[in-house]
Amino acid sequence: MERHVQIFLNRLSFASITVATLTLLLLYLQTPETCFDPSDPNPKPHTRFPKSTCDFTHRSYTSIDKRNRRIWSTKTWTNAVSSYTSLLKALQARNYLSNSSRVLVVSAGPGHAVQALQELGVEDVTGVELVDSPPLVSRADPHNLPFFDGIFDLGLGLYLDRALFPGRYVGQIERTVRSGGVCVVTVEESGTDEVEEIVKLFKKSRFVDARNVILAGERRTGIVMRVENNS
């Protein structure tokens, strides 16, 4: 009895394997309907049997300039740039920023602040982020900035609160700003106690002031520090 059962199971297994093989073969040979024009009586070989639907679909190339023009013309983009312009004009009013300033923007994202600076007439602007966004932002690690000491007049750290190592992040910005220059960092809107903790991260600078601002629709606190000794 057991022998008959074993024979039956073997036959069943063989039949299952055969059906599965035939099914896979049919799926391999069948051309997806979305890959060719069914009204074409003489489809080309590569069209009749594409390896995937992506082989048939033409994907147009969009240049960086064209993509940027499209993004920069959106209301979301222009509103974000405008919010950074307000912050920068406040720094200009206090003589922390001029058109001749050498400015570093860390955590520059897609480049809102960089574009705002350029539109204000600041020519020497360097924006860095972990992921580059040409032509406004280059790729660099904010915890290990590839710049010499004291070469910038103004260092902007736009998202200190998102840094993996806040102390290292602040130290790198502070290192690259000259003595007498200014560091500005922003964090999620904070009170006096939180601001005092952030100020302690700076080792070569003195506290100037802190103000609440709105950047790209977020309520944040901007903290201004003047570098006193960076020799």
Side-chain angles (χ1 to χ4, degrees), residues 150 152-153 173-183 199 202-208 224-231:
F152 295 104
D153 301 302
I173 297 175
E174 195 175 35
R175 175 184 67 78
T176 59
V177 175
R178 64 173 176 81
S179 296
V182 172
C183 298
V199 169
F202 290 84
K203 307 303 180 184
K204 302 178 181 179
S205 308
R206 65 175 176 83
F207 174 70
V208 178
V224 181
M225 306 290 296
R226 184 178 290 279
V227 180
E228 292 191 321
N229 180 16
N230 205 3
S231 57

Side-chain angles (χ1 to χ4, degrees), residues 135-219:
L136 297 176
V137 180
S138 301
R139 181 170 57 191
D141 182 358
H143 301 92
N144 188 26
L145 295 173
F147 306 113
F148 291 114
D149 297 354
I151 63 171
F152 295 104
D153 301 302
L154 173 64
L156 299 174
L158 299 179
Y159 291 98
L160 169 60
D161 49 326
R162 301 177 189 176
L164 290 176
F165 306 101
R168 179 71 176 173
Y169 182 99
V170 164
Q172 285 292 290
I173 297 175
E174 195 175 35
R175 175 184 67 78
T176 59
V177 175
R178 64 173 176 81
S179 296
V182 172
C183 298
V184 179
V185 296
T186 77
V187 295
E188 184 178 345
E189 192 171 64
S190 303
T192 303
D193 292 342
E194 291 90 345
V195 170
E196 289 178 353
E197 291 301 314
I198 294 167
V199 169
K200 292 177 183 178
L201 296 175
F202 290 84
K203 307 303 180 184
K204 302 178 181 179
S205 308
R206 65 175 176 83
F207 174 70
V208 178
D209 65 21
R211 301 185 182 188
N212 292 334
V213 295
I214 297 178
L215 298 177
E218 295 184 19
R219 301 182 65 87

